[in-house]
Structure formats: C-alpha cells, structure tokens
Amino acid sequence: EPEVTQTPSHQVTQMGQEVILRCVPISNHLYFYWYRQILGQKVEFLVSFYNNEISEKSEIFDDQFSVERPDGSNFTLKIRSTKLEDSAMYFCASAGGGYYGYTFGSGTRLTVV
Amino acid sequence: TQLLEQSPQFLSIQEGENLTVYCNSSSVFSSLQWYRQEPGEGPVLLVTVVTGGEVKKLKRLTFQFGDARKDSSLHITAAQTGDTGLYLCAGGSGNTPLVFGKGTRLSVIA
C-alpha cells in the first residue's frame, strides 16, 4: 500500500525560529495538501498545491508560511518565524484527483516553546 | 464557508451494540468522505460517497449519503473494541480542498 511519509515525527523549536516540515507524497498523485490539527480541535486546511504552484490557501496560511516541491518528490512546508500558536500536528496529504480520497501521512507534531 | 457538523461528539458503547453517527451541513457537497483517526496518526480513508442516496458497505460499517448531498451517516453493526477511534467526515466540491468536521470520538468497551 503506497504511503505518504512525513519527517520529522516530532519537532520542538524556539519561538521565532524557522522550521521546515517534509513530506514525500505518493509518486503518481497530482494534488498535495497541508493540513494542521491543534490538540483537541478539527483538522484544518492550510494549502493545496497542483502543477507546481499553490492552487488554494486558507486564511491561516499567511506570509509566515510557504510551500515548495524542490525536487519533484519532496513537498515541504516552511514556517519562517514560529509562534506559540503554531503548535499543532501538521499533516501532509496527496490525492490522485477526482473523487479519490486523500492519503494522509502520520503527521509532524510541532511544539513551539 | 462550508461547515460540517458531526454528532454525537462522544459516544461510549458496549461491545456488540449497534451505533449511528451523523454528519450534517447546510451546503451541498459533490463528495463526502469518512476517515478514521487513531491518536498521534493521520486520518485514514474509509469510504467516499458521491451520489445522493448512495449506500456503501464496508464489512460491519454502512455509509449513506443523503439524497440532497448535504448529510451522511455511518452505522456500525455489532461494534468491536477495535472500532474505537475518532471518526471524521469530510466534504469536497470539485477540486476544492476537503473540509472536515470535528469528528465523533467512539469508545467501544469490552
């Protein structure tokens, strides 16, 4: 069964530091997403990526956030200057398009201290 | 903004009982998906429904999409302790990103 792989599984960072969360989506998928889940809250959409560019982003995805697909396989989420409220599980997902469901990774637990 | 409301928020039942959880919205979705999430893990897709009135079965789980494509239900027959988890519904329209409900946390007690 193809998987979406996320690294690291846990990251603790100082407030104001930059973090990069990494994802390897399923190889033949075309659509890529980042979602986050603050502890005890619902899964929230951050950004979608298709054809090497952002296709949609939420109001959470402000100028502190950026995404890249640097080498055709990895898909990264960068937070430039982390805030305490960025602490959450960050999930990467990929999809083949149409009505196919998303395949999620196991997530990166980000803790900002 | 499309919202999905799930009920109940929490459900605790004995092994062997049947249960139904609900997912409702005021918006029409072109597809609705159900996921199950374990603690510390990402959501895992259970099923996608796309046609109003559609019913899909996955072993002891029965999923239904409402005729108007605004609501869905998940029915579990003879629940087992392994069914314990967070059940999430998520709605999609075209290629817009999925919107998730808050989930129903199910606990099945032996």
Side-chain angles (χ1 to χ4, degrees):
Chain A
E1 184 88 31
E3 288 185 343
V4 173
T5 305
Q6 288 188 246
T7 55
S9 56
H10 294 87
Q11 172 107 37
V12 180
T13 189
Q14 296 270 345
M15 193 168 55
Q17 294 296 303
E18 174 183 286
V19 294
I20 297 176
L21 310 183
R22 302 180 193 279
C23 170
V24 179
I26 292 174
S27 60
N28 62 348
H29 280 182
L30 302 175
Y31 298 86
F32 313 108
Y33 307 89
W34 284 100
Y35 281 79
R36 79 172 186 191
Q37 188 176 33
I38 295 171
L39 186 63
Q41 298 187 25
K42 69 176 180 180
V43 177
E44 298 177 291
F45 167 71
L46 292 178
V47 65
S48 58
F49 195 84
Y50 170 72
N51 203 25
N52 288 320
E53 61 182 22
I54 290 174
S55 49
E56 198 162 335
K57 58 184 180 179
S58 73
E59 58 191 25
I60 301 169
F61 193 87
D62 61 21
D63 291 345
Q64 293 301 312
F65 291 86
S66 62
V67 288
E68 272 191 340
R69 196 156 185 249
D71 56 12
S73 60
N74 292 288
F75 180 48
T76 63
L77 174 69
K78 182 192 291 187
I79 309 175
R80 286 190 186 80
S81 177
T82 50
K83 303 187 286 283
L84 294 176
E85 54 264 38
D86 293 328
S87 296
M89 283 288 282
Y90 287 80
F91 293 107
C92 172
S94 68
Y99 294 124
Y100 293 106
Y102 294 6
T103 301
F104 282 84
S106 294
T108 293
R109 181 174 297 283
L110 176 66
T111 303
V112 182
V113 297
Chain B
T1 303
Q2 295 177 311
L3 292 175
L4 284 163
E5 299 289 337
Q6 291 191 246
S7 61
Q9 189 177 353
F10 299 97
L11 185 58
S12 181
I13 61 168
Q14 294 285 333
E15 199 169 28
E17 291 184 351
N18 301 332
L19 67 112
T20 303
V21 299
Y22 300 93
C23 174
N24 294 292
S25 176
S26 57
S27 303
V28 175
F29 291 96
S30 56
S31 71
L32 202 136
Q33 299 170 6
W34 284 91
Y35 291 80
R36 183 174 145 190
Q37 187 179 22
E38 304 283 353
E41 296 290 326
V44 175
L45 179 68
L46 296 174
V47 78
T48 301
V49 285
V50 299
T51 306
E54 182 176 3
V55 176
K56 279 192 173 177
K57 292 196 172 187
L58 188 66
K59 296 182 181 177
R60 294 175 294 101
L61 277 60
T62 302
F63 304 86
Q64 185 161 9
F65 201 11
D67 291 340
R69 290 186 288 132
K70 292 182 178 182
D71 56 87
S72 181
S73 63
L74 158 59
H75 181 81
I76 301 179
T77 304
Q80 300 175 357
T81 55
D83 295 327
T84 294
L86 180 66
Y87 289 84
L88 300 166
C89 68
S93 294
N95 282 323
T96 60
L98 288 179
V99 172
F100 281 81
K102 289 186 176 180
T104 292
R105 189 166 297 281
L106 173 66
S107 177
V108 182
I109 302 163

